[in-house]
Each structure stands twice: as C-alpha cells, then as structure tokens.
Amino acid sequence: MTRLIRQGYNGQVTNWMGVRSVLTTIGNISAHVGEKVKLGVWLYNRRSSGKIQFLQLRDGTGMIQGVMVKSQVSPETWEQAADLTQESSLYIEGTVREDERSPSGFEMDVTGIEVIQTAEEYPIALKEHGVEFLMDHRHLWIRSPRQRSILRIRAEIIRAMQDWLNGEGFTLVDPPVLTPSSCEGTTNLFHTKYFDEDAYLTQSGQLYMEAAAMALGRVYSFGPTFRAEKSKTRRHLIEFWMIEPEMAFVDHEENLRIQERMVAHVVQHILQHCRDELKVLKRDTSALEKVKAPFPRITYDEAVHLLNREGMEFSWGEDFGAPHETKIAESFDKPVFITHYPTGTKAFYMKPDPERSEVVLCDDLIAPEGYGEVVGGSQRIDDPRLLEERFQQHQLSQEAYEWYMDLRKYGSVPHSGFGLGLERTVAWICGLDHVRETIPFPRMLNRLYP
RNA sequence: UCCUCCGUAGCUCAAUGGUAGAGCGGCCGGCUGUUAACCGGUAGGUUGUAGGUUCGAGUCCUACCGGAGGAGCCA
C-alpha cells in the first residue's frame, strides 16, 4: 500500500469511449487485476506477429505490456496501434490480468487506444549508444528504465537523509548561492558580477552553516555547489549537490557517530524501498546489506602504514589520491573513516587535536568498492586567537571573514559538521561507474548542454 | 594545465595505402505469445576540419576542433 500512495494518482473515474474506466498508473496496476483501466503512457517498444501486437508501455511509474489481438479490436484501432512509433504518447484502455509470462507479473488486454501524438523518429534506439551521443540527448535518455531508476533512487536518498536529520532535531537552513568570496580559499571559483561588485557561486555553505548552528543548534543545508576545477574524471561534476549538517556542542567523536548512523540509515532505507530500481540497475545488494553502524575507523597514521604494507609508496604529510583511497577501502567491507589528517593537508578552520597539534580532528568517509570519499567532516576551531593565526597563515582577508570571526567572539562553543556529496553517494548505492548518470542534467567540463 | 586513446550512414561498428560495408533504427511486405522478437525487400555517405606525403589517403604526417579515460585538485 505504501507503493500505491507513493506512485502517482489513482482512482479517477473517467467516461471514455462509452465505458467507465479508472484512470490509474502502472505503479498501481496490481490493485486493479480483473478491472478495466485507462493509462496515460508512452510507447517504449512494439512487437508484432501479424495478428497480435505487443505494446511495451511506460508511464514514469513503471512498465507494462499491452496485448492487442486483431480479432478482438476494430480495424481502425488495430491500424492505429500498428502505426505507433517509439515514444509516441497515447491513452490506452484495457483489462488488467496477471500473467506468468510477464517479467512484472501483469499484462493488459488492450481494448482501445487514443493517440495523443505520433512521435517523430526517436534518436535513442533500443541498443547500445556512445557516451557523447547519450549526453547530447540527456533530455530523452532520462526516459530509459535505467536512468529512471537512478533518478528515483537519488530522490529517495535525499528524502531518507532529510527524514533522518529532521527526526534527530536538525533544522533545515538555506545558505546563499551567491557569495562575496571563497569559503575555503582553495579551489577555483565561478566568478560572476553582482551589480558593480565581484561575486562567486558557492563552493560550500559550511561557514554560513556555522553561523546557523549558533542560532538554531543543529542545522543542515541541502543545495547545489560549484567548483570551476578542470577535473575530468568519473568522480567529478562542476555543479553538484551537498548535504551539510553543522552541530553546536558536538565534538569530533559524536560527529563520527552521527555520520555513520545517517549513512547507514540511508543505505538501509534504499534497500527496503527501492528493490525494483536496484534490480533494474543489476546492483549486487549483498555489499550494501553490510552497511550498518558502527563503521571501522583508522587514523591517517594507520592509513599510511597500511599503504606502505601493501607496497604503495606514500610518505607522511601527503594527501591521498584516488588509488590510495581505493586501496584503503579494499581492506574493509564497510565504509571506513580516516581521521586525524596532518594540519597542512586540510582546511584552515579545522580544530587541531589537543594532544597532537600536528593533526586535526577531521574525518573522511571512504565508500567501499572504489567509490572514494563521500563524506568529509571536522570539529571546527572555536578559539578566536587560533582562528586569527590561521587567517594569517593562509593569507585570508580578515575583513572578508570578519563575520565568521564574530562567531568566536560572541559565545563560542565546540562545534562540528560534515558535508556529504550526493552524486558520489548515489553512484555508490546504485553501483554506477560514473557520476554523470546520478544527476538529471550534469554540468561537466565541456558540457553545458542540454 | 599535463599524459594516453578515439572521431566512417540517424546510432553501434567494419574496411593490407587500391571500387566505403554490416547490424540496428526508418520505409514497404510477411508472421497469433513476442521479450533489444524474427524473416524478405528498400532508401541512406563531402570518412571531424584545414593542409601535406603519394600515381592513388578512411588508412601515413602536421596543426586545429570535438570526445573518452586518467593525473593534479576535490565531494
């Protein structure tokens, strides 16, 4: 029944072709066995054997096969169906029937159709295509069963994260997209004009979320971020979405517990609620079943030893590259936290470990199966004097960050937060080999269309 | 920014330096249980662009344009 409520409208009675029928969706079809129903659909594929036609129909909620027998419909209806091209839009009426021969378990005996539009020759054939061609036709590609499944899982991941955070007492706060300067000072920003001033598209809402945490306690943001990096890999997008929680009175240790509980919740939620979609994607779910809190933790020091033991050259003080992350992840069957990175490899706002000032109280969460870093978090500096020192070391403008410094002047408290990259999380849970399929219209190096 | 690879029909790909082809899709016809259905017929090309080598270039060379994968950077 949850599925019934979730997927589309149902029960609208229409008077059509002289017969009362129920306008419903394919997602709800199991509730209408033996009944006459009407569906608004697109033709995915058609097969014919002279006196019988099989219409593969989709409506966004699922796929069903309509069976039309020549002797049981009017010659006009038969001809109309025979002339349908791929992706033509139509209303279709028929009786729902259970059938063992159908992959979904249901079929429709078609009694009538009403063509809305006969589609022009559809560019995407039911066969393999190259990446460039598919990306040029992304607006049509998302109609395919595989892309539909990914986008549904993406939406469900977002919902699971927001539900979990809301249930834990977090408040949604929206940081600005247009900002006066860099949030972290490292990556290349998207420059734009703000009337007579310079402005940049946000690369992280974190600093604003720290302000929000001082106002509302536990907060999170969810929105797009922008990096003008010339990165061309399967893990990078120019525009991507992040969830960024920030919590007052939370230290490094509790920060990790919140991260692992949230990630585990999301994975288990998808396993429960997106079985059909994961099946379409042929995702091996056994690896996902294991994703339950707590997650293993290793320090940066231990990770360096692990890499050296595995025969990789790596010295203390460097940052991990993709091959290093993969090697570390291979040693665990769950996501693994790497904590306590050298201060020099991380952002200016991270709090040093009180017992070892050369490392900071931070964590990267590395997903299994080579999907790399999906979460990065840290406890933030709360001492105004240390923060001022960091500004000088990183040559950041005191003036631009005056408001951020104020947070340490007026009731500074220990606080922590993290950012989860949505697209990498979707790629991992769906088992995809590239993040370009995880977002409806990816913005990449050399791609701003469609 | 750097490294490696690839650009041939609408799509996916073939073609020793010697007459540019197949499958799918389109169109026409056949088939009463098809699962990217199948069978027969048919149309479809300035081989990414510009130069060069050669009797002759899709094929070899140079530059440019476009794409893919990776590095760095990052989530």
Side-chain angles (χ1 to χ4, degrees):
Chain A
M1 279 315 269
T2 20
R3 189 145 201 101
L4 211 151
I5 294 155
R6 264 188 18 204
Q7 298 219 338
Y9 49 90
N10 188 38
Q12 179 189 340
V13 178
T14 61
N15 215 326
W16 183 60
M17 294 177 111
V19 186
R20 278 166 65 86
S21 51
V22 179
L23 186 62
T24 186
T25 62
I26 297 168
N28 289 329
I29 213 75
S30 61
H32 296 282
V33 174
E35 293 174 28
K36 185 161 245 189
V37 298
K38 180 182 177 182
L39 300 168
V41 295
W42 291 266
L43 182 73
Y44 178 70
N45 195 16
R46 190 179 67 87
R47 285 181 285 269
S48 157
S49 300
K51 296 195 175 69
I52 186 168
Q53 298 187 56
F54 301 97
L55 308 175
Q56 233 66 46
L57 308 166
R58 59 169 200 89
D59 72 347
T61 69
M63 192 91 81
I64 193 168
Q65 175 162 273
V67 182
M68 185 183 285
V69 177
K70 195 170 187 177
S71 59
Q72 287 167 21
V73 295
S74 70
E76 294 76 33
T77 300
W78 178 263
E79 281 309 314
Q80 273 189 308
D83 289 343
L84 286 173
T85 53
Q86 191 185 355
E87 289 301 314
S88 288
S89 49
L90 61 147
Y91 290 110
I92 194 153
E93 193 192 54
T95 308
V96 180
R97 175 170 47 75
E98 285 189 85
D99 196 308
E100 286 177 0
R101 290 168 292 190
S102 160
S104 73
F106 301 99
E107 281 191 346
M108 175 193 256
D109 287 320
V110 179
T111 53
I113 64 170
E114 179 189 322
V115 178
I116 302 169
Q117 191 206 30
T118 304
E120 291 179 29
E121 188 182 336
Y122 192 62
I124 303 181
L126 300 178
K127 64 187 292 280
E128 284 177 25
H129 292 280
V131 172
E132 187 184 5
F133 176 82
L134 288 171
M135 290 306 302
D136 283 341
H137 295 86
R138 181 63 178 169
H139 51 296
L140 303 176
W141 188 22
I142 54 177
R143 299 182 183 192
S144 74
R146 177 182 163 83
Q147 298 306 314
R148 187 201 87 90
S149 297
I150 294 168
L151 294 183
R152 275 205 52 80
I153 289 175
R154 176 189 170 103
E156 206 58 36
I157 288 171
I158 293 166
R159 186 162 87 153
M161 276 195 288
Q162 293 194 319
D163 282 353
W164 190 86
L165 288 164
N166 293 337
E168 293 282 321
F170 284 75
T171 302
L172 175 66
V173 173
D174 303 316
V177 170
L178 290 166
T179 62
S181 61
S182 162
C183 282
E184 304 197 8
T186 49
T187 51
N188 292 314
L189 303 177
F190 265 104
H191 176 257
T192 185
K193 293 304 280 186
Y194 195 80
F195 304 107
D196 294 333
E197 288 180 74
D198 286 316
Y200 304 90
L201 300 183
T202 182
Q203 60 170 332
S204 163
Q206 186 205 307
L207 304 190
Y208 294 100
M209 296 312 289
E210 289 185 53
M214 302 304 136
L216 295 140
R218 293 190 176 197
V219 295
Y220 71 98
S221 66
F222 176 56
T225 50
F226 307 86
R227 308 270 166 99
E229 297 288 343
K230 304 255 179 187
S231 299
K232 254 188 96 168
T233 81
R234 66 184 68 196
R235 301 179 306 281
H236 288 88
L237 294 169
I238 301 298
E239 176 184 309
F240 65 98
W241 289 62
M242 278 207 290
I243 292 238
E244 295 185 280
E246 194 73 31
M247 297 90 65
F249 307 107
V250 164
D251 64 7
H252 171 69
E253 194 54 36
E254 194 178 348
N255 191 18
L256 296 188
R257 282 197 293 270
I258 290 168
Q259 290 170 43
E260 66 191 2
R261 284 173 57 220
M262 187 181 94
V263 170
H265 168 79
V266 168
V267 171
Q268 296 306 317
H269 178 93
I270 296 304
L271 283 172
Q272 272 181 23
H273 292 88
C274 298
R275 293 203 163 279
D276 293 347
E277 287 81 5
L278 290 168
K279 208 169 150 189
V280 169
L281 298 171
K282 298 186 171 70
R283 178 65 163 114
D284 172 15
T285 52
S286 62
L288 295 177
E289 305 278 357
K290 294 174 189 153
V291 181
K292 288 178 178 159
F295 297 161
R297 302 174 185 186
I298 60 171
T299 62
Y300 175 91
D301 294 6
E302 288 163 344
V304 172
H305 286 136
L306 188 153
L307 290 174
N308 291 337
R309 211 165 48 237
E310 297 283 338
M312 289 184 99
E313 263 188 52
F314 192 89
S315 39
W316 201 94
E318 293 178 70
D319 204 352
F320 302 121
H324 305 117
E325 284 182 356
T326 303
K327 178 58 77 182
I328 294 164
E330 276 171 8
S331 308
F332 304 89
D333 59 1
K334 289 185 190 184
V336 54
F337 284 115
I338 307 175
T339 66
H340 301 84
Y341 279 67
T343 310
T345 63
K346 289 292 179 181
F348 73 90
Y349 50 73
M350 293 189 183
K351 186 182 175 74
D353 186 341
E355 285 159 30
R356 283 182 70 195
S357 65
E358 73 274 19
V359 298
V360 286
L361 297 173
C362 71
D363 67 277
D364 283 356
L365 183 66
I366 312 297
E369 304 168 78
Y371 283 97
E373 183 184 347
V374 290
V375 176
S378 68
Q379 184 167 346
R380 325 302 193 189
I381 291 173
D382 47 70
D383 173 16
R385 265 180 302 229
L386 178 58
L387 189 59
E388 206 157 321
E389 240 174 71
R390 287 283 193 268
F391 280 141
Q392 278 157 16
Q393 285 164 359
H394 288 80
Q395 296 176 332
L396 297 169
S397 147
Q398 300 265 29
E399 199 188 349
Y401 288 95
E402 198 176 344
W403 67 268
Y404 186 66
M405 186 57 87
D406 277 355
L407 305 177
R408 275 73 181 173
K409 287 185 192 165
Y410 305 112
S412 188
V413 299
H415 64 289
S416 303
F418 62 94
L420 178 144
L422 179 65
E423 285 75 18
R424 287 188 183 177
T425 304
V426 175
W428 163 44
I429 292 176
C430 290
L432 310 178
D433 59 14
H434 202 298
V435 290
R436 65 184 159 224
E437 289 182 69
T438 65
I439 187 166
F441 296 95
R443 300 286 93 123
M444 297 182 293
L445 200 64
N446 305 327
R447 176 152 312 267
L448 190 55
Y449 175 94

